[in-house]
Amino acid sequence: MDLFHLLGGGARFDKNRFKNDVHLFEGEKEANQTQSKKKNAAVVDPNVRSQLLDEIDFFKTTHTIVDSNQAKDDKKTAKEDKTASKASKKAKQLSTVFDTVEEAKEFRKQHKIKVYGTDVPNPFRTFEDLASPAYSLDPILYNNLMTAKYTSPTPVQMQSIPIMLHGRDLMSCAPTGSGKTMAFLLPILQDLKKPEKKTSYRALIIAPTRELAQQIAREANHLSQGTKLRINVLTKATAADKSQTPESRQKFDILITTPLRLVYAIKEKEVDLTAVKHLVLDEADKLLDQGFLDQTDEIFAACSSTTIQKSLFSATFSSHVEELANTVMRDPIRIVIGAKNAATETIKQELLFTGTEAGKMIALRQLVQKGIKPPVLIFVQSIERAKELFHELIFDGINVEVIHSDRTKAQRDNIIDQFRVGKIWVLIATELMARGLDFKGVNLVINYDFPQSVASYIHRIGRTGRAGRQGEAVTYYTQEDLQYMKGVVNVMKESGCDVPDWMLNIKNMTSNQKQKMRKGLNRDHIDSTSKYDKYNQNKRKEMIEASKKRKRVASQKEKKAKKEKKTEQKESSN
Ligand code: ADP
Ligand code: MG
């Protein structure tokens, strides 16, 4: 029996092993700690991990480009041969929009699509291609694309959709804001739309945060409008909702959730996942790096199942993550859109030297004074610093809010909604917000604190310049940050930004430095009160304390005197 079929049944669920998981579900921080403890040593060697962290090399290590023709020359095992010939038959059926392999190759080149793997299906060119008999996209889905004003597909969609329609495993690396969500939703909707006996969830989509899960669900609901397909997001709120039972959930086709919520759902036997045939990891490098594969045996089995089609999407993949993915994927196709290690091209990137920590506050105030075009997103490295910066800016009279994992879910939802509609102009955020969230109008991202990895830089600044729009990103750096800058400088150069020569001469980071960077530098508190004001504040505090003390002593003396007087009076009357 396929191990994955045990997922929903929970037959292999070990109560003891998961006794801490309810608690896990309570908070992201503890969860991450426990997850990392849980990691399977065979899959995640801590030494390998520390060496490879942050190395965004986009598959460059082990793979050579192999197109459909070259693939035929490759040595294959008997099994691979069989799978490949099946796939290539299918590929022929589906590749009628190009007359020759060369045409398809030329088209890929024009759209900066690179493919790695065997028997790679051709891309499609237009949504009309998809609607044509070559792909037979469901008319309702096609209409929904038109309603969404998606007039032409983005490169990641052109190539990912045919690969997924073929049922092939896929690793898809494309810049932030380039339409990856639709690239994985459309082929799944098309496949699930086929008449089939309704069982339960047939697709499972995982995202690192609940905000992102909700955003994916919103897009899935738009794209599937008018179909009978039902989408379900599992959040903490649904865990408390007793009206949702495994039976009532059978009406759903697609489940979208976070890893922690999934672990909880499996543990509580809330969901039946035996019918799942598509698994998508959005922001896959983050999920795999956090140990998604090793969370439970059931999840590992699902990820390595040969009957489930797996797709990984992100703007960044490290060689470490690629190795992890290779342990579970079957003859995957990898695609890379655009230049390796590059941020989205429509983002104007700038590095700004502020000297010290205090210099950052001065730089930010100058920027505000000059006039900024909201909405603006500001990233800092910790919750504490987010709160500190918020206090500074709110006293400056700026329309500012702050979002981090200490805020309640309702507050977080509210803030995101208000930011989307422009009621909040400046939003201060931690890494929680760095991935996936699609705020169309964000004009400027400020990295108040230097990002703690190259991937983090790419994702943070990727909150602007989405879907072909222009955007700006400013990254502050202090004297201390200088030694950690080379990775970011490389990204800027790769994306075509002007970088001064001296920056290109900064030394590459050692693995030790990378680790330090990942932990985050010890930074001075964000507090722009002047030394003189601080001195006066302290003096006033001391004076108040001294006066309180004097009053206390005086009242104690008074009490004592009264007591002595009473005793004297008693004694004299005796
Ligand atoms: P990514 O996941 O690559 O960061 P998203 O999937 O969040 O990007 O998409 C970014 C934005 O682009 C979204 O607002 C989405 O609606 C829009 N979008 C996606 N595909 C298209 C398309 N083909 N044409 C126009 N806009 C699109
Ligand atoms: Mg995304």
Side-chain angles (χ1 to χ4, degrees):
M1 185 178 176
D2 185 340
L3 269 177
F4 187 65
H5 288 266
L6 299 164
L7 230 171
R12 296 187 59 233
F13 182 66
D14 179 342
K15 284 248 179 219
N16 269 335
R17 185 176 165 193
F18 296 109
K19 63 174 179 276
N20 293 325
D21 283 348
V22 184
H23 156 73
L24 256 181
F25 180 50
E26 297 296 323
E28 245 161 285
K29 238 185 277 162
E30 300 95 296
N32 289 345
Q33 280 161 9
T34 323
Q35 278 168 27
S36 44
K37 268 186 222 149
K38 263 195 199 171
K39 285 184 207 328
N40 177 342
V43 182
V44 188
D45 178 334
N47 290 328
V48 173
R49 169 174 285 259
S50 69
Q51 275 170 25
L52 295 169
L53 279 177
D54 296 345
E55 288 188 7
I56 316 290
D57 80 344
F58 297 89
F59 321 133
K60 71 171 180 254
T61 45
T62 45
H63 302 277
T64 43
I65 302 180
V66 188
D67 68 23
S68 319
N69 279 342
Q70 290 166 327
K72 291 186 183 98
D73 306 331
D74 279 4
K75 279 187 188 169
K76 289 175 201 144
T77 62
K79 197 177 161 198
E80 274 175 336
D81 262 341
K82 222 172 148 188
T83 326
S85 80
K86 248 195 207 164
S88 100
K89 253 188 218 155
K90 259 192 174 179
K92 278 195 189 113
Q93 285 165 15
L94 275 176
S95 60
T96 49
V97 296
F98 290 102
D99 291 333
T100 62
V101 175
E102 275 61 41
E103 270 181 44
K105 261 187 174 174
E106 186 51 38
F107 182 79
R108 281 197 190 110
K109 216 166 143 189
Q110 274 168 18
H111 292 275
K112 298 185 179 166
I113 301 170
K114 288 187 213 89
V115 294
Y116 305 75
T118 55
D119 291 308
V120 182
N122 284 342
F124 69 95
R125 297 167 304 200
T126 61
F127 289 130
E128 288 63 43
D129 279 353
L130 270 193
S132 76
Y135 297 93
S136 305
L137 179 71
D138 188 277
I140 301 178
L141 297 179
Y142 176 78
N143 271 338
N144 290 344
L145 289 179
M146 295 304 114
T147 314
K149 301 215 162 46
Y150 290 174
T151 45
S152 52
T154 63
V156 67
Q157 294 164 352
M158 292 165 174
Q159 185 60 81
S160 302
I161 291 171
I163 293 173
M164 286 179 72
L165 287 175
H166 271 62
R168 295 285 300 274
D169 282 0
L170 168 68
M171 271 195 233
S172 186
C173 177
T176 53
S178 66
K180 293 188 284 295
T181 319
M182 195 269 263
F184 60 72
L185 286 176
L186 197 72
I188 290 179
L189 294 172
Q190 167 79 358
D191 183 47
L192 300 189
K193 188 87 196 5
K194 286 185 217 143
E196 210 171 24
K197 193 175 154 268
K198 245 195 163 152
T199 35
S200 186
Y201 302 117
R202 287 174 292 153
L204 178 58
I205 299 170
I206 314 290
T209 61
R210 67 186 261 294
E211 283 79 3
L212 185 51
Q214 281 165 341
Q215 183 181 292
I216 296 167
R218 216 175 17 244
E219 180 142 5
N221 278 316
H222 285 146
L223 286 174
S224 64
Q225 229 162 43
T227 71
K228 291 206 174 95
L229 297 173
R230 295 286 166 266
I231 289 116
N232 185 207
V233 190
L234 281 189
T235 63
K236 202 173 172 186
T238 56
D241 182 358
K242 293 282 177 270
S243 69
Q244 284 208 6
T245 61
E247 291 72 39
S248 79
R249 288 198 171 99
Q250 279 186 359
K251 64 175 183 282
F252 293 116
D253 303 277
I254 300 176
L255 173 62
I256 307 176
T257 190
T258 61
L260 296 179
R261 186 63 181 89
L262 179 66
V263 169
Y264 179 82
I266 292 172
K267 172 188 177 292
E268 292 296 312
K269 298 181 190 152
E270 272 186 277
V271 288
D272 173 9
L273 298 174
T274 50
V276 167
K277 52 181 188 160
H278 299 281
L279 171 69
V280 175
L281 306 189
D282 192 18
E283 305 295 342
D285 57 327
K286 175 101 179 173
L287 294 173
L288 294 180
D289 213 25
Q290 285 180 340
F292 178 72
L293 288 180
D294 311 317
Q295 293 221 336
T296 72
D297 289 348
E298 289 81 355
I299 287 177
F300 185 78
C303 293
S304 35
S305 155
T306 50
T307 55
I308 297 173
Q309 185 250 325
K310 287 144 275 166
S311 315
L312 312 187
F313 280 80
S314 184
T316 51
F317 278 96
S318 65
S319 43
H320 165 63
V321 162
E322 191 199 353
E323 271 174 34
L324 277 182
N326 271 335
T327 61
V328 291
M329 294 187 107
R330 195 172 114 256
D331 190 20
I333 295 171
R334 295 160 233 277
I335 71 173
V336 178
I337 309 295
K340 285 177 191 167
N341 291 347
T344 302
E345 282 174 3
T346 53
I347 309 170
K348 188 178 147 226
Q349 303 170 57
E350 190 192 337
L351 284 165
L352 190 79
F353 182 62
T354 62
T356 60
E357 281 297 319
K360 291 180 180 176
M361 199 62 232
I362 296 168
L364 185 58
R365 287 206 163 105
Q366 279 172 351
L367 195 73
V368 172
Q369 256 168 15
K370 261 198 339 208
I372 43 169
K373 239 171 70 194
V376 173
L377 198 51
I378 305 181
F379 282 103
V380 290
Q381 74 182 32
S382 67
I383 296 176
E384 195 193 5
R385 291 177 63 75
K387 289 178 185 169
E388 287 172 358
L389 186 58
F390 174 69
H391 279 285
E392 290 287 328
L393 296 187
I394 196 109
F395 283 119
D396 287 355
I398 294 169
N399 175 358
V400 61
E401 251 301 352
V402 57
I403 191 164
H404 48 69
S405 57
D406 269 5
R407 306 213 73 172
T408 65
K409 312 263 169 188
Q411 281 172 334
R412 273 157 61 172
D413 287 348
N414 212 0
I415 289 169
I416 287 186
D417 287 347
Q418 293 205 327
F419 190 59
R420 275 190 207 286
V421 297
K423 284 191 181 156
I424 295 169
W425 289 8
V426 176
L427 183 58
I428 300 166
T430 55
E431 214 56 24
L432 171 80
M433 297 276 291
R435 292 248 183 185
L437 294 185
D438 181 44
F439 301 112
K440 284 200 188 66
V442 171
N443 288 313
L444 172 66
V445 170
I446 301 173
N447 284 316
Y448 190 88
D449 290 337
F450 203 81
Q452 284 157 257
S453 70
V454 174
S456 161
Y457 176 75
I458 292 172
H459 288 280
R460 279 180 178 192
I461 69 164
R463 294 318 98 213
T464 183
R466 300 182 71 76
R469 289 177 179 75
Q470 297 296 313
E472 264 184 65
V474 182
T475 301
Y476 293 170
Y477 67 98
T478 62
Q479 193 67 37
E480 249 197 301
D481 292 314
L482 259 173
Q483 55 183 315
Y484 304 106
M485 276 175 42
K486 190 56 185 290
V488 168
V489 169
N490 287 344
V491 170
M492 288 177 67
K493 192 172 158 258
E494 283 288 326
S495 356
C497 294
D498 279 339
V499 185
D501 281 348
W502 70 266
M503 279 193 187
L504 296 174
N505 293 333
I506 298 174
K507 274 192 197 143
N508 284 333
M509 276 186 280
T510 62
S511 53
N512 215 350
Q513 275 174 319
K514 278 184 198 165
Q515 256 180 348
K516 269 196 186 157
M517 185 192 185
R518 193 156 262 245
K519 276 192 197 136
L521 301 187
N522 266 336
R523 300 187 187 274
D524 288 344
H525 288 282
I526 303 174
D527 180 3
S528 63
T529 326
S530 72
K531 271 190 185 163
Y532 176 73
D533 287 343
K534 266 188 211 156
Y535 173 82
N536 279 345
Q537 277 172 5
N538 283 340
K539 208 75 216 144
R540 202 170 308 133
K541 239 192 220 164
E542 280 169 18
M543 278 159 65
I544 293 169
E545 277 306 314
S547 145
K548 275 186 190 162
K549 197 176 168 188
R550 271 198 305 279
K551 275 186 193 156
R552 256 197 325 269
V553 173
S555 99
Q556 273 168 1
K557 268 188 187 165
E558 206 177 313
K559 268 187 200 160
K560 202 177 164 193
K562 270 187 192 165
K563 213 175 167 185
E564 279 171 2
K565 208 172 176 187
K566 259 190 190 168
T567 338
E568 262 172 37
Q569 279 170 353
K570 251 190 196 170
E571 279 171 1
S572 61
S573 66
N574 282 341

